[in-house]
């Protein structure tokens, strides 16, 4: 299949209407979209990515009126979070409407929903007129794409269309919050921080990794976000003794900095998060063998950042 690249949301929407897949920018990472009501199109997502079929997809909506067509109930706590954080990098897990095909949610009776704030994502969703299910637009196991070129690298020839935009702003995926229990539970840390959620709903908590009563975010059990290079968490950048073909990403310079073939120093945690996945891909292109990532405090966006770094390091 020849993959069309375009800047036109209207053209991209035609591919969706024809049951094809379109990769598109959001404020977090690029997504790979299909019409939520088209089972055959959704099947193509799992095929194109090599994604395990027990990993549910997130529904993307243009406005709140689309929420009723895909959910069966909106708990009061979800209403509060919607009011505060939609549109934005927050996914809420809610009871699913029966018209949504089972394949979209991997058979679960809940559905993750988010309203992206990115203008191009909004234009695409409005042009489609239906919600789109969309996982990150990478091959399964690879770092999520933050540029359209990264999408092309992974999925060229496997999808119909790439809707182009700039490098994504947040650089990490959305926060996934389960709203079906007695209190909101963060299943995946992401672009909206735990502190921000707790400012609106104080009883919001992190789902424990080993909590079997929590409905898991099935995707978090898979190997994720991995470059080909081996990733290490560096607690003290100044003490690293790198081998050949090593790279460093962080905030404080390692010493001596010349010992690294490639370094990226970020001014703060937001810039570090924004750059991480792209840095991983650039390291792979440069033949880097080991990547040292500076450990940061697990507060604010640092929680999501350290989650992605640890996964990449297989910790
Ligand atoms: O920022 C994002 O969320 C991006 C952009 C494209 O929107 N999407 C994304 O999708 O990261 P994906 O498929 O790569 O990750 C979705 C995560 C997985 O961990 C999945 O298991 C979880 O959300 N998830 C989806 N639906 C769920 C549900 N009903 N219950 C629990 N977890 C769910
Ligand atoms: Mg993903």
């Amino acid at each position: 299949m020849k993959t069309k690249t375009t800047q036109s949301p209207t053209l991209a929407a035609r591919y969706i209407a024809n049951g094809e897949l379109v990769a598109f920018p959001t404020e977090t990472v690029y997504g790979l979209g299909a019409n939520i009501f088209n089972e055959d199109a959704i099947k193509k997502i799992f095929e194109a990515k090599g994604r395990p079929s027990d990993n549910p997809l997130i529904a993307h909506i243009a406005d709140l009126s689309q929420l009723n067509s895909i959910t069966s109930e909106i708990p009061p706590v979800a209403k509060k979070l919607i009011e505060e954080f939609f549109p934005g990098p927050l996914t809420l897990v809610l009871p699913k409407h029966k018209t949504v095909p089972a394949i979209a949610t991997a058979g679960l009776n809940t559905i993750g929903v988010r309203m992206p704030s990115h203008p191009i994502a909004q234009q695409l969703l409005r042009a489609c007129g239906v919600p789109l299910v969309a996982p990150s637009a990478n091959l399964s196991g690879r770092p999520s794409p933050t540029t359209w070129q990264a999408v092309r690298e992974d999925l060229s020839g496997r999808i119909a269309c790439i809707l182009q935009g700039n490098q994504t702003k947040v650089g990490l995926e959305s926060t996934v919050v389960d709203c079906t229990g007695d209190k909101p539970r963060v299943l995946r840390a992401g672009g909206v921080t735990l502190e921000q959620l707790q400012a609106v709903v104080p009883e919001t908590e992190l789902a424990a990794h080993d909590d079997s009563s929590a409905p898991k975010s099935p995707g978090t059990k898979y190997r994720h976000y991995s470059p080909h290079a081996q990733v290490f968490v560096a607690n003290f950048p100044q003490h690293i003794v790198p081998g050949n073909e090593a790279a460093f990403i962080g905030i404080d310079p390692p010493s001596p900095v010349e010992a690294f073939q490639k370094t990226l120093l970020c001014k703060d945690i937001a810039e570090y998060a924004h750059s991480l996945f792209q840095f991983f891909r650039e390291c792979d292109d440069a033949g880097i063998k080991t990547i040292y990532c500076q450990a940061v405090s697990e507060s604010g966006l640092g929680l999501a950042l350290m989650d992605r770094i640890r996964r990449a390091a297989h910790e």
Side-chain angles (χ1 to χ4, degrees), residues 269-281:
I269 289 188
E271 188 182 309
Y272 191 173
H274 167 81
S275 313
L276 183 75
F277 289 153
Q278 183 61 19
F279 186 73
F280 281 171
R281 286 178 180 263

Side-chain angles (χ1 to χ4, degrees), residues 24 26 28-32 49 51 55-58 60 91 93-94 105 108 110-112 114 134-138 144 172-176 187-188 215-220 224:
F24 61 97
T26 81
T28 58
V29 300
Y30 276 72
L32 180 61
K49 284 188 53 121
R51 182 180 177 101
N55 195 358
L57 304 174
I58 293 174
H60 294 65
T91 297
V93 173
L94 301 167
T105 61
L108 298 175
T110 58
I111 182 158
R114 107 173 177 88
S136 50
N138 51 284
S144 295
L172 304 178
E173 302 84 348
S174 64
T175 306
V176 179
L187 304 180
R188 178 179 75 180
K216 291 279 186 315
S217 204
T220 57
H224 261 92

Side-chain angles (χ1 to χ4, degrees), residues 46-68:
F46 290 91
E47 284 162 16
K49 284 188 53 121
R51 182 180 177 101
S53 60
D54 66 347
N55 195 358
L57 304 174
I58 293 174
H60 294 65
I61 56 173
D63 52 56
L64 289 180
S65 69
Q66 289 185 326
L67 203 52
N68 295 327

